[in-house]
Structures are given as C-alpha cells and as structure tokens.
Amino acid sequence: DAGVIQSPRHEVTEMGQEVTLRCKPISGHDYLFWYRQTMMRGLELLIYFNNNVPIDDSGMPEDRFSAKMPNASFSTLKIQPSEPRDSAVYFCASSTLGAGGGKLFFGSGTQLSVL
Amino acid sequence: GENVEQHPSTLSVQEGDSAVIKCTYSDSASNYFPWYKQELGKGPQLIIDIRSNVGEKKDQRIAVTLNKTAKHFSLHITETQPEDSAVYFCAASKGYSTLTFGKGTMLLVSP
C-alpha cells in the first residue's frame, strides 16, 4: 500500500486566495483525520470523518475552513480566503479505528505558506 | 477537555546514552497512550503505545511506562543511535475518541 497520499507537498499563496489541500487515505480505513501543525500549538485536530461522514469539526478554526469527503478514497480541506496565520503544515491521517483505538497513519503533509 | 504536557521540549544526548521523555495528562478517564516519532519532512509515525491496564511495555530499545495514579507516562530509549534523532510526541485518549497530543520533544543524538 502506498500509504496516505497528500497533495500538494508545498503550497505558497497570497492572502485572500483559496487553498485546497487533498488527501487519499489508505484503502479500507474508515476514519480520516485532518491535523494542523505549528510550532506554537503543536498538532491540532481540525476535523475527522467516519465512513465519509464528518463526526467532529470542533477544531476547525473559522468558517473560512471547510472539509469534505465525497467518497472513501478522497478528502479535501479548503481555506477561503486564506490568511498569513493559516501558514502551517497540514496533515491527513487515516485509521481502521478511531484515534483512541489504535494506530494513525499520517501522510507526509502539505506545507502551506500564505504571504 | 484533555490536556497533555510533555517535557523536555529539547533533549540532546550522546550516542549510546539513554533518553527519557515524560508526559502528564489531566483526564483520569484516558486509557490509551501512544508515542509518535516525526522525522524531518515526514508525518508522525507510531512507535509504541500502551493501554491503561498495563504498567510497562517494551519493544527492543524503546519502552513506555505508565503511572495511572500520578497520571504520567514516559518513553525510554536505550542505546540511542543517530537515527533516533527526531521529534517525539506523546498523546492520550479515552475510549475511541480523538487523541490529544503533547507539544513534542526534539531529540538530538550526537555521534
């Protein structure tokens, strides 16, 4: 298995632009998580899905952030409009159980820079 | 909600020495405690985990201990090697809910 695949690896954009991050989870994994990593706040859970349904989006910082999972093999995280404080590494992870049940498999992340 | 504190934030050791990273958690109902290793440019990877019904778990050079009464758990790495250099995260969870991560420890192993 190729693991969790994220794209793009790096994204540089200007403030106000729309940004879309993409994730392909491991086949057969029922849970998908979006995390944001910054030096100040560490790893923060933004949202997670179970069987393509959003379960907990309490970590989504603002209405500018939205996430979708149209099918079991694809998810997007969209920021519109983007702001400099959104600069961070965004990780997607998948698992067969909830995060507290077992191993999370992380992708390599998307390094987002908003100028 | 759960709060996980991790110390130290950075740790430098000589190759062959042992390294210990400590975490405390706030929610006594937490029952699952994994440790993740993050190498530069990569996502975190699970290296070992422990559940609340176990006090210690070992896998080759790494071990984790759990003290439920004191609500703290630790990662022990023996005979450190340069390839152990990375950022290590502890985390805590209860039931099958989401994980709460510590802020991470940057471990540097010098040859």
Side-chain angles (χ1 to χ4, degrees):
Chain A
D1 199 317
V4 176
I5 300 173
Q6 291 187 247
S7 64
R9 286 299 310 272
H10 303 275
E11 177 78 38
V12 180
T13 190
E14 292 188 348
M15 182 173 63
Q17 296 298 306
E18 178 179 296
V19 175
T20 300
L21 311 182
R22 298 172 176 80
C23 175
K24 176 180 170 56
I26 294 173
S27 177
H29 283 192
D30 294 329
Y31 289 83
L32 183 139
F33 305 83
W34 282 100
Y35 283 89
R36 178 171 66 177
Q37 185 176 38
T38 61
M39 288 295 292
M40 288 298 295
R41 301 174 68 91
L43 275 164
E44 300 175 278
L45 177 68
L46 300 177
I47 185 171
Y48 81 94
F49 296 82
N50 177 214
N51 291 323
N52 313 336
V53 176
I55 303 300
D56 183 355
D57 66 353
S58 60
M60 296 286 263
E62 300 172 31
D63 291 344
R64 299 184 295 107
F65 286 69
S66 62
K68 294 181 180 180
M69 192 165 186
N71 56 61
S73 60
F74 184 66
S75 178
T76 60
L77 178 67
K78 185 176 293 187
I79 308 172
Q80 166 64 17
S82 58
E83 296 182 3
R85 60 194 168 121
D86 301 330
S87 297
V89 181
Y90 291 81
F91 287 103
C92 174
S94 69
S95 71
T96 55
L97 300 172
K103 185 176 181 179
L104 290 183
F105 293 80
F106 283 83
S108 295
T110 295
Q111 174 77 59
L112 174 64
S113 297
V114 183
L115 306 178
Chain B
E2 175 69 278
N3 183 46
V4 177
E5 299 285 340
Q6 183 172 347
H7 300 279
S9 56
T10 59
L11 179 60
S12 294
V13 299
Q14 292 289 319
E15 182 177 1
D17 288 349
S18 294
V20 180
I21 302 170
K22 299 181 179 182
C23 290
T24 60
Y25 61 98
S26 61
D27 191 339
S28 57
S30 290
N31 58 7
Y32 175 64
F33 307 92
W35 286 87
Y36 283 80
K37 175 184 180 182
Q38 185 178 21
E39 297 177 340
L40 193 62
K42 297 183 178 180
Q45 183 176 14
L46 180 72
I47 55 171
I48 195 168
D49 57 8
I50 192 169
R51 297 194 181 272
S52 58
N53 58 346
V54 177
E56 183 174 357
K57 184 176 180 180
K58 190 173 182 180
D59 183 4
Q60 298 183 342
R61 296 186 298 107
I62 60 174
V64 57
T65 58
L66 171 65
N67 184 325
K68 285 199 67 181
T69 302
K71 290 190 286 187
H72 67 70
F73 56 112
S74 301
L75 178 70
H76 305 252
I77 306 174
T78 58
E79 301 173 20
T80 54
Q81 302 168 2
E83 52 265 38
D84 294 329
S85 295
V87 179
Y88 291 80
F89 293 93
C90 63
S93 176
K94 57 182 178 183
Y96 286 84
S97 64
T98 57
L99 286 171
T100 300
F101 284 90
K103 290 287 180 64
T105 296
M106 180 177 291
L107 174 64
L108 177 61
V109 181
S110 303

